[in-house]
């Protein structure tokens, strides 16, 4: 036997037991043994350790039949708190969640600056406030995950953030040195795919999530694992060329997909055509309700270009679930069906295509989920949206 095998097996058993307690919310020792296939002695030892660490709690289930009431196990949701951060161009969104993924506090700081040192100071000050606020709990602030709208390598170093002009920034190290809490840096599209998997499509091990905001990002889970590529840069699908010698892109190429099918490109093009400066989602909703022919024609064009890229993704990855995250398409009642109508190739196979119900919240939901997963040390995480959760914030 290889040295360390026993420790590794104990770690795997703990992960399996904890994952099932999280998924089932309330579960007995006997049910855990049946579901996991672990013997009762192993369950007893692991549960005892988790109780000692205050990661789980016991409650006695009430029932009307005679006999002993079963002792149920559940996660101690307030043993510690996770912090998710969405670092966007003009705002930073902070969300605190408990250990079962329920959002309990969200704060948004608007900003009009891009200087790294200024934003780092804002982050340190806000995180320090949260750290102090939850210091009385068993584990306090258990970790922080920051969603970056740019390129992050496998070592969690920020390679490039086009909106801020950042290059080679060590945000993880800079924050950890100041606040003493584990920090995880991840691309926002990857976090969106994690949110879809953890909160919605629990059983899917092959899922693509395409985010269409300022650019186009792809997060993909293959065989249950987030795929990041050799250097960590996989998913920059917005720079796939769909129109040879087309519109110039900031990456240096011509005809990139995000120049035709991102929300920013849609809004920019529509504003230019209408000779107006700005639009918002309320304006778009009104135009849809009024069946504005000019607007609907632009939507059709947007969907057509979007479907070109989606067709390429489907043929490359053969996903089970394909999720498109777009606030504009969420306004269109038949957007998914219209996209499917363009995907008529006999060799393009997928099981389900849908518009994300999470919208821009997906990034921060994935950030909180990843923080919880890293803290608990579980390989699988299955969380449930509830009345107090992210969608109501």
């Amino acid at each position: 036997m290889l040295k360390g095998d026993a420790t590794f097996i104990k770690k795997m058993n703990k992960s399996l037991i904890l994952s099932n307690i999280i998924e089932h919310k309330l579960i007995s020792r006997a049910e855990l043994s049946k579901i996991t296939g672990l013997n009762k002695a192993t369950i007893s030892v692991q549960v005892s350790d988790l109780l000692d660490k205050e990661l789980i709690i016991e409650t006695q289930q009430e029932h009307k039949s005679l006999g002993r009431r079963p002792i149920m196990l559940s996660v101690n949701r307030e043993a510690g708190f996770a912090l998710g951060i969405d670092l966007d161009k003009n705002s930073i969104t902070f969300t605190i969640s408990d250990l079962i993924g329920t959002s309990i506090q969200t704060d948004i700081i608007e900003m009009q600056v891009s200087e790294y040192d200024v934003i780092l100071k804002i982050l340190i000050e806000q995180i320090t406030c949260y750290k102090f606020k939850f210091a009385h709990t068993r584990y306090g602030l258990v970790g922080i995950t920051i969603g970056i709208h740019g390129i992050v390598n496998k070592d969690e170093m920020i390679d490039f953030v086009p909106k801020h002009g950042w290059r080679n920034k060590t945000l993880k190290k800079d924050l950890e040195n100041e606040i003493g809490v584990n920090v995880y840096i991840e691309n926002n599209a990857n976090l969106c795919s994690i949110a879809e998997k953890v909160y919605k499509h629990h059983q899917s091990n092959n899922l693509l999530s395409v985010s269409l905001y300022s650019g186009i990002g792809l997060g993909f889970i293959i065989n249950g694992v987030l795929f990041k590529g050799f250097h960590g840069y996989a998913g920059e699908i917005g720079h796939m060329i769909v129109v040879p010698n087309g519109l110039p892109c900031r990456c240096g190429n011509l005809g990139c997909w995000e120049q035709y099918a991102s929300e920013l490109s849609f809004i920019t093009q529509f504003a230019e055509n209408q000779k107006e400066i700005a639009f918002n989602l309320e304006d778009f909703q009104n135009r849809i309700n009024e069946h504005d022919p000019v607007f609907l024609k632009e939507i059709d064009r947007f969907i057509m270009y979007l479907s070109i890229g989606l067709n390429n993704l489907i043929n490359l990855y053969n996903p089970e679930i394909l999720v498109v995250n777009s606030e504009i398409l969420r306004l269109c009642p038949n957007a998914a069906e219209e996209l499917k109508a363009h995907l008529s190739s006999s060799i393009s196979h997928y099981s389900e295509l849908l518009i994300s119900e999470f919208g821009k919240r997906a990034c921060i939901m994935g950030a909180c989920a990843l923080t919880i997963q890293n803290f608990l040390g579980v390989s699988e995480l299955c969380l449930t949206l509830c009345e107090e959760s992210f969608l109501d914030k």
Side-chain angles (χ1 to χ4, degrees):
M1 178 180 288
L2 293 174
K3 191 174 181 180
D5 272 5
T7 301
F8 176 75
I9 291 170
K10 285 180 67 176
K11 183 178 179 180
M12 293 298 293
N13 288 343
K14 174 191 170 185
S15 172
L16 181 60
I17 289 168
L18 204 44
S19 292
N20 276 279
I21 294 174
I22 294 168
E23 180 177 357
H24 291 86
K25 302 180 184 64
L26 280 173
I27 190 170
S28 68
R29 289 169 173 81
E31 289 172 318
L32 271 175
S33 180
K34 182 178 179 180
I35 291 170
T36 63
L38 300 173
N39 62 49
K40 292 181 180 179
T42 299
I43 295 291
S44 179
V45 170
Q46 290 283 355
V47 165
S48 178
D49 181 58
L50 291 170
L51 286 169
D52 288 342
K53 292 177 178 176
E54 299 181 33
L55 289 174
I56 63 174
I57 55 176
E58 292 180 313
T59 55
Q60 200 160 40
Q61 190 176 46
E62 294 185 7
H63 63 97
K64 296 180 181 178
S65 60
L66 296 175
R68 185 178 177 183
R69 292 180 295 174
I71 302 297
M72 308 300 287
L73 305 171
S74 61
V75 172
N76 182 3
R77 60 192 295 175
E78 295 184 350
F81 294 86
L83 175 58
I85 300 175
D86 184 357
L87 179 54
D88 210 340
K89 181 180 180 180
N90 297 318
S91 66
I92 310 175
T93 302
F94 302 82
T95 290
I96 294 283
S97 82
D98 61 23
L99 293 184
I100 63 168
T102 299
S103 170
I104 64 170
Q105 179 178 343
T106 293
D107 300 293
I108 300 175
I109 295 179
E110 303 292 342
M111 59 181 187
Q112 298 297 326
V113 296
S114 287
E115 290 83 357
Y116 177 77
D117 290 340
V118 175
I119 293 176
L120 177 63
K121 183 179 178 182
I122 293 171
L123 290 169
I124 291 170
E125 290 176 351
Q126 191 68 16
I127 292 168
T128 301
C129 290
Y130 294 130
K131 185 178 177 182
F132 177 78
K133 179 175 181 178
F134 297 102
H136 67 283
T137 62
R138 176 68 168 82
Y139 292 99
L141 201 60
V142 302
I144 303 158
T145 297
I146 303 177
I148 300 297
H149 295 247
I151 302 174
V152 179
N153 69 22
K154 63 180 181 181
D155 297 318
E156 299 179 69
M157 181 176 177
I158 299 173
D159 184 75
F160 181 47
V161 179
K163 294 179 182 179
H164 292 302
W166 294 355
R167 290 187 181 275
N168 303 320
K169 298 300 182 183
T170 55
L171 183 59
K172 175 184 174 72
K173 178 182 177 182
D174 295 341
L175 283 174
E176 288 181 339
N177 287 342
E178 289 290 334
I179 60 178
V181 177
N182 288 331
V183 175
Y184 309 97
I185 307 295
E186 189 55 88
N187 170 267
N188 70 301
N190 287 341
L191 293 176
C192 289
S193 68
I194 290 173
E196 296 292 344
K197 164 72 172 173
V198 169
Y199 284 97
K200 180 75 173 178
H201 304 286
H202 304 139
Q203 304 306 317
S204 177
N205 286 320
N206 291 278
L207 179 150
L208 301 185
S209 174
V210 182
S211 300
L212 304 182
Y213 297 106
S214 57
I216 300 180
L218 172 68
F220 43 126
I221 294 171
I222 299 177
N223 295 328
V225 178
L226 182 67
F227 181 78
K228 301 175 73 170
F230 182 73
H231 295 103
Y233 300 153
E236 293 300 317
I237 201 68
H239 299 289
M240 167 177 59
I241 295 173
V242 296
V243 179
N245 299 314
L247 296 172
C249 180
R250 64 178 183 271
C251 76
N253 284 329
L254 301 175
C256 289
W257 191 28
E258 69 176 39
Q259 298 303 314
Y260 298 85
S262 69
E263 289 198 350
L264 179 60
S265 68
F266 175 87
I267 293 169
T268 301
Q269 186 63 50
F270 189 68
E272 288 178 0
N273 292 342
Q274 297 297 300
K275 310 299 182 184
E276 296 184 39
I277 297 174
F279 293 93
N280 56 40
L281 291 177
E282 185 178 354
D283 294 329
F284 291 157
Q285 184 68 77
N286 290 335
R287 289 173 183 269
I288 291 171
N289 294 341
E290 295 165 1
H291 303 286
D292 180 343
V294 175
F295 183 77
L296 295 180
K297 183 178 179 180
E298 289 298 318
I299 285 286
D300 288 342
R301 180 177 178 275
F302 178 59
I303 288 175
M304 183 270 291
Y305 277 116
L306 178 57
S307 67
I308 292 173
L310 295 181
N311 180 75
N312 294 341
L313 290 178
I314 290 167
N315 287 329
L316 277 171
Y317 299 109
N318 179 216
E320 177 187 5
I321 306 292
L322 178 56
V323 183
V324 179
N325 194 315
S326 164
E327 295 286 353
I328 291 175
L329 293 184
R330 286 177 73 195
L331 303 177
C332 305
N334 300 313
E337 287 70 24
E338 291 177 22
L339 279 170
K340 292 174 188 177
H342 286 279
L343 304 173
S344 56
S345 170
S346 61
I347 61 171
S348 296
H349 297 289
Y350 60 94
S351 292
E352 187 175 3
L353 185 154
L354 47 89
I355 308 302
S356 174
E357 64 185 64
F358 300 154
K360 288 189 175 181
R361 296 293 297 164
C363 174
I364 211 159
M365 291 168 67
C368 288
L370 184 59
T371 303
I372 294 168
Q373 188 169 4
N374 286 332
F375 170 66
L376 295 178
V378 296
S379 56
E380 293 284 336
L381 191 62
C382 176
L383 302 176
T384 304
L385 290 171
C386 59
E387 290 182 1
E388 319 121 87
S389 203
F390 291 90
L391 298 184
D392 300 305
K393 296 293 179 181

